[in-house]
Amino acid sequence: MKKVLITGGSGLIGLELCKQLIEKKFKVICMDLPEQLEKNKNLFKKVKKNKNLKILNGSIFEKSLLNKVISDVDAVFHLAAMLGVKRTEDNKLKCLEVNVKGTENILEACVSGNIKHIIFASSSEVYGEPSHNPINEKTDTQGKTVYGISKLAGEEYVKAYCQIYKKLNYTIVRFFNTYGENQVSQFFLAKIVRNIMSGSDPIIYGDGQQVRSFCHVEDTCRALIEIVKNKKSYNKIFNIGNSNEKYTLNEVAKIAIKTLKKNNLKIKNLPFTKSDRTVNREIFKRFCDVSLAKKTFNFQPKISIEEGIKRISKNLNFHNDW
Ligand SMILES: NC(=O)c1ccc[n+]([C@@H]2O[C@H](COP(=O)([O-])OP(=O)(O)OC[C@H]3O[C@@H](n4cnc5c(N)ncnc54)[C@H](O)[C@@H]3O)[C@@H](O)[C@H]2O)c1
């Protein structure tokens, strides 16, 4: 049985990853900030008695705590980060501190703990507005936002440490629009479903022709489980997303209206000036090619956008605080 540490374990992806790892009989240390663990305390109540799960209040800036917990784990999923384009643009230094310096702290702890494998959560934002789609891992990186740049810097740090410390192997995972229950409501699908469920017209900024591929968090975490189990994933970068579920934002809103049977509602397209987004930072067309993940560990996402929307609507556990 493997023992793993998840940083940011009480976030959208961390929570689902904890659940799937426990089901697969891994031992898990789920580390997150106290305020984030507190928000999800009801979710943790259900699994708290599981002897394979340890919930740990802590920050990736607490070096002595990190050194202590990391000493007997086999692998580290480093998910802790500052997210959200507007939030990170408004707090650029904080974003760099958490996403770059925080990653360096984890790498230092991995080295002192003789860890074999770090899985680093990167983002499709590293591709910026790509020159072509679908994007594979060889597509040029050209981050457009401080968040994208912080993830690129994190990736470079991870590769640098693994170059110097040969025992440490990396897998860099670039997530493409992961969504699901328990997501903060500022993210597109959480916001749209919340609007529709409350009887309001879904609002989309811009003309709604922006294209994305949407991956349910359960599928994202299935990929992470394969990665931690499979040495073939060592020292590689993978796009993880759902290339079958590629839509414009207008299409997603229409599917959500239909799926939730609120046919009286109409999409409202508003100018960017009315939103927390800007034309400069917007990515207009971005969808993934995940054939490398398919070839390496048979990654095949299963959850359709309709199914994902239904799941969110049944579990309106939104966090509204940023
Ligand atoms: N959800 C997506 O679509 C998506 C896309 C690309 C990349 N990612 C990356 O995947 C990872 C997980 O994303 P998510 O969607 O679960 O986000 P999330 O915001 O739900 O989770 C991030 C977690 O990190 C924690 N965290 C922040 N600062 C911390 C600190 N100093 N110490 C410990 N924990 C800290 C937060 O409390 C939060 O629980 C992040 O690294 C994110 O950048 C996510």
Side-chain angles (χ1 to χ4, degrees), residues 162-216:
C162 294
Q163 217 182 116
I164 299 166
Y165 302 100
K166 304 283 183 216
K167 270 194 192 158
L168 181 62
N169 298 284
Y170 71 82
T171 308
I172 292 170
V173 187
R174 294 176 177 157
F175 297 127
F176 281 67
N177 292 76
T178 293
Y179 71 93
E181 304 84 273
N182 306 311
Q183 189 162 35
V184 281
S185 59
Q186 281 74 356
F187 282 85
F188 179 70
L189 254 168
K191 200 185 321 188
I192 289 279
V193 173
R194 189 176 62 159
N195 273 354
I196 295 174
M197 293 297 287
S198 67
S200 324
D201 291 330
I203 293 169
I204 296 177
Y205 295 103
D207 63 5
Q209 294 307 316
Q210 301 97 310
V211 182
R212 298 285 186 275
S213 34
F214 290 90
C215 189
H216 190 269

Side-chain angles (χ1 to χ4, degrees), residues 6 8-20 30 36 40 43-44 79 181-182 217 221 317 319:
I6 309 177
S10 184
L12 168 72
I13 298 174
L15 281 170
E16 174 66 23
L17 183 61
C18 275
K19 182 177 147 245
Q20 290 193 23
C30 167
Q36 180 75 5
N40 288 320
L43 296 172
F44 281 117
L79 307 183
E181 304 84 273
N182 306 311
V217 65
C221 291
N317 183 18
H319 298 314

Side-chain angles (χ1 to χ4, degrees), residues 11-13 32 36 59-60 79-81 83 122-123 147 151 175 178:
L12 168 72
I13 298 174
D32 211 311
Q36 180 75 5
S59 164
I60 54 174
L79 307 183
L83 275 75
S122 185
S123 167
Y147 172 72
K151 286 290 173 184
F175 297 127
T178 293

Side-chain angles (χ1 to χ4, degrees), residues 7 42 46-47 54-55 59 63 99-100 104 112 114 116 147 183 192 214 236 261 286 305:
T7 71
N42 289 337
K46 294 182 199 158
V47 284
K54 184 174 172 191
I55 295 165
S59 164
K63 289 190 180 177
N99 296 0
V100 185
E104 190 200 7
S112 63
N114 267 319
K116 286 194 225 58
Y147 172 72
Q183 189 162 35
I192 289 279
F214 290 90
K236 293 199 177 81
K261 301 190 173 59
R286 177 178 70 202
I305 195 117

Side-chain angles (χ1 to χ4, degrees), residues 141-172:
T141 52
Q142 45 185 20
K144 230 178 162 184
T145 57
V146 68
Y147 172 72
I149 290 163
S150 74
K151 286 290 173 184
L152 268 177
E155 289 191 5
E156 292 303 319
Y157 245 140
V158 167
K159 288 193 283 182
Y161 267 74
C162 294
Q163 217 182 116
I164 299 166
Y165 302 100
K166 304 283 183 216
K167 270 194 192 158
L168 181 62
N169 298 284
Y170 71 82
T171 308
I172 292 170

